[in-house]
Amino acid sequence: MAELRGALIGCGFFAVNQMHAWHDIDGASIMAICDRDPARLRIVGDQFGIERRYTDAAALFEGETLDFVDIATTVGSHRPLVEMAAAHRVPAICQKPFAPTLADAKAMVKACADAGVPLMVHENFRWQSPIQAVRAVLDCGEIGRPFFGRISFRSAYDVFSGQPYLATGKRFIIEDLGIHILDIARFLLGDVSNLTARTARVNPGISGEDVATMLMDHEGGATSMVDCSYATKLAAEPFPETLIELDGSDGTIRLAQGYQLTVTGKSGTTVSDVSPPLLSWASRPWHNIQESVVAIQKHWVDCLTTAKEPATSGADNLKTFALVEAAYAGAASRQPVRIDDLL
Ligand code: NAD
Ligand code: 89V
């Protein structure tokens, strides 16, 4: 089967991981790249040997015949770029956060549905191998029916040096990081009916919130807590590990720091190391995230070639995005928010 011809728009900090991943994946190749910043275009083009370079996305769509586009720009440009892809009938991957608002996100899903093109949000955290390992234990029924979850990401890692824009937005941790952790909660425990949230800003040098605590009712009956912080100094820095506690009718799952998975269930207790592999181009501590980029991009190729809906399709991601909106609304009002009212 012929390789899928892709283009990457946005050659910044994170896109380098996406380019490495495309290089590792069979069945798809990046034929052209685009960035409005010529310096980034040159750096990424030279690093990955891509000759076809554009500083304007409209010119890219006019100049190339594409099977898909991978949009790795920051959130402000996501809607116009996804709508441009839809107008050219080009399937699109869009980085998270999907859009500035839920209304924009809904419009993007509609544009792609109307054009009949697949749309996947690059929501990669659920593709991390330790998270997949937790889901596999749940799926095999070892702990019975889950009734409680805590999905936790607490760190003091300096994310601002690599991504300076994170310090300047009115919204920070829920929109940038909480979105991943809320998606993991949905992935493990199902869709959410109600959410209550509290936020705080501890670091005086940033504009948004850097601490968020969320309590959720899942439609299947479980209750979960999602807690995120970039203001938590620990003896051993866990970035970027997501820690998980799940209690079920027949046992428990604990994903602890250091990628240690402990399962106590119907067949006793097992302890295993579910550390992600360190890919040749990856670097600690980011290797966990970097490996998940390969996994989600492989999933996209598989979905495009077999006409399957991606797990984190645009439509699916509206349900994660609604949790982000609910968290900001609920933190402001100090009231619980019904998710169905937003969707
Ligand atoms: P960045 O600012 O380093 O890179 C963005 C690039 O896009 C810049 O080079 C900019 O010039 C270019 N760009 C912006 N608008 C454009 C347009 N209209 N046309 C062409 N080029 C345009 O940002 P980043 O840190 O790489 O983040 C990019 C996205 O990736 C963000 O949405 C961020 O949230 C997301 N991200 C995801 C993960 C993850 O694990 N999924 C991790 C980090 C960042
Ligand atoms: O995954 C992300 O979106 C990153 C980080 C892990 C630093 O929050 O921005």
Side-chain angles (χ1 to χ4, degrees):
M1 172 144 185
E3 288 235 311
L4 298 172
R5 296 170 56 88
L8 176 92
I9 306 179
C11 299
F13 169 78
F14 200 71
V16 174
N17 297 312
Q18 293 171 228
M19 288 299 294
H20 276 296
W22 289 125
H23 187 257
D24 280 3
I25 293 172
D26 291 333
S29 288
I30 295 299
M31 315 304 296
I33 57 173
C34 170
D35 198 299
R36 62 186 178 196
D37 174 353
R40 289 304 309 172
L41 199 56
R42 193 183 59 252
I43 290 167
V44 171
D46 290 356
Q47 183 177 356
F48 294 95
I50 312 288
E51 298 306 330
R52 303 181 72 78
R53 304 176 188 182
Y54 296 83
T55 50
D56 173 34
L60 168 86
F61 283 107
E62 291 305 326
E64 300 292 328
T65 303
L66 297 172
D67 295 313
F68 71 95
V69 68
D70 187 8
I71 299 168
T73 60
T74 39
V75 66
S77 51
H78 287 176
R79 180 170 176 181
L81 292 172
V82 165
E83 289 180 343
M84 208 181 282
H88 287 82
R89 301 261 188 289
V90 175
I93 307 173
C94 179
Q95 255 299 349
K96 50 58 64 179
F98 190 19
T101 68
L102 188 55
D104 288 312
K106 286 179 182 173
M108 293 153 76
V109 170
K110 184 171 183 316
C112 289
D114 290 351
V117 295
L119 170 64
M120 179 177 85
V121 178
H122 189 118
E123 180 41 80
N124 52 320
F125 268 42
R126 64 162 78 177
W127 286 99
Q128 292 170 8
S129 48
I131 308 296
Q132 293 282 326
V134 170
R135 171 69 188 256
V137 175
L138 271 181
D139 286 349
C140 76
E142 180 66 14
I143 71 156
R145 188 182 54 79
F147 61 85
F148 170 81
R150 178 179 176 208
I151 329 287
S152 179
F153 187 108
R154 311 192 76 78
S155 166
Y157 186 83
D158 173 20
V159 284
F160 309 110
S161 56
Q163 297 164 266
Y165 57 89
L166 294 178
T168 58
K170 205 161 70 69
R171 294 178 166 191
F172 168 40
I173 199 168
I174 301 173
E175 182 182 77
D176 182 68
L177 181 275
I179 197 167
H180 291 305
I181 314 304
L182 291 164
D183 187 69
I184 291 173
R186 276 191 58 230
F187 176 59
L188 297 177
L189 294 171
D191 288 336
V192 174
S193 51
N194 293 282
L195 180 150
T196 302
R198 297 291 181 267
T199 58
R201 179 170 61 234
V202 175
N203 178 348
I206 65 171
S207 305
E209 82 293 346
D210 54 2
V211 180
T213 310
M214 293 154 278
L215 177 70
M216 303 194 290
D217 296 319
H218 292 263
E219 287 171 1
T223 303
S224 74
M225 265 183 63
V226 166
D227 58 294
C228 306
S229 167
Y230 273 126
T232 300
K233 289 194 183 110
L234 292 157
E237 172 54 64
F239 181 89
E241 290 183 50
T242 303
L243 309 185
I244 296 179
E245 299 173 20
L246 293 171
D247 294 2
S249 50
D250 295 310
T252 55
I253 302 173
R254 296 291 182 267
L255 177 62
Q257 189 167 344
Y259 302 109
Q260 181 184 278
L261 182 65
T262 304
V263 179
T264 300
K266 293 171 182 163
S267 23
T269 295
T270 58
V271 182
S272 49
D273 178 357
V274 290
S275 297
L278 181 66
L279 299 174
S280 60
W281 49 269
S283 52
R284 295 179 192 278
W286 287 84
H287 63 299
N288 182 26
I289 292 177
Q290 288 165 318
E291 183 224 4
S292 72
V293 171
V294 178
I296 193 172
Q297 291 179 192
K298 272 190 182 153
H299 174 63
W300 170 252
V301 172
D302 179 40
C303 288
L304 272 196
T305 48
T306 57
K308 263 192 323 215
E309 166 132 341
T312 58
S313 65
D316 176 85
N317 197 257
L318 292 180
K319 297 185 210 166
T320 293
F321 203 94
L323 303 183
V324 170
E325 293 274 297
Y328 283 112
S333 67
R334 301 184 77 79
Q335 297 296 317
V337 178
R338 275 171 41 96
I339 303 307
D340 271 355
D341 292 346
L342 301 173
L343 286 168

